[in-house]
Amino acid sequence: MKKILITIFFAVYIGILFYLLFFSSYRKSVEGVVSYNFIPFQTIGQYFYSFDGLALTDQFIGNMLAFAPFGFLLPIIFVTTFTRVLGYSFLLSLSVEVAQFFFRVGAFDVDDLILNVAGGGIGFLGYIVIKKSRLISN
C-alpha cells in the first residue's frame, strides 16, 4: 500500500514538474524565444558573477530543487543505484531541454542539465540518509 501511495505521489510530482516546465505563466512569457547554451558552466558562472543572494526561484537553486524529488522517490519505487538515478535524471532533463527548445517554451541550456542531474543526485543522497535512519524501507 505504501509503495502505491508513493507511486501516486511520484506521478503527481511528474505532472507538476511538467506543468512548471512547459505550461506555467513563466513559460508563456518566453514562448517563441529560441535560445541555447552549449558551453558548460557559462550560465552558472553568470549567475554567480551577478550573485545577490539565494532564492528558491533562482535558476541555480530551482533546477536542483525541481529534480531532487525525482532522485529521492525513484529508488523507493524502483530499487536502483546512484549512477542510475543520475542517468535517469540526465535522460529526463535532456528530454525536457530538447522539448522546451523544440516547442519554443524555453532555452536549451547545458547548465540546466548539470543542475538537474545534481538535484537528482542530491535527492538520492537524501534517500540514502533517510533509509539509513530506517525511516523508509524498500
Side-chain angles (χ1 to χ4, degrees), residues 9-61:
F9 183 73
F10 183 76
V12 169
Y13 155 73
I14 293 293
I16 291 169
L17 183 66
F18 272 74
Y19 169 77
L20 293 172
L21 293 172
F22 292 103
F23 304 107
S24 68
S25 60
Y26 170 74
R27 295 295 162 201
K28 299 294 182 198
S29 71
V30 296
E31 197 168 7
V33 174
V34 176
S35 179
Y36 53 87
N37 169 39
F38 295 114
I39 302 169
F41 303 104
Q42 182 179 38
T43 306
I44 294 170
Q46 290 171 351
Y47 171 80
F48 283 108
Y49 180 75
S50 62
F51 183 76
D52 63 350
L54 294 174
L56 294 178
T57 56
D58 287 348
Q59 177 186 1
F60 184 76
I61 299 296

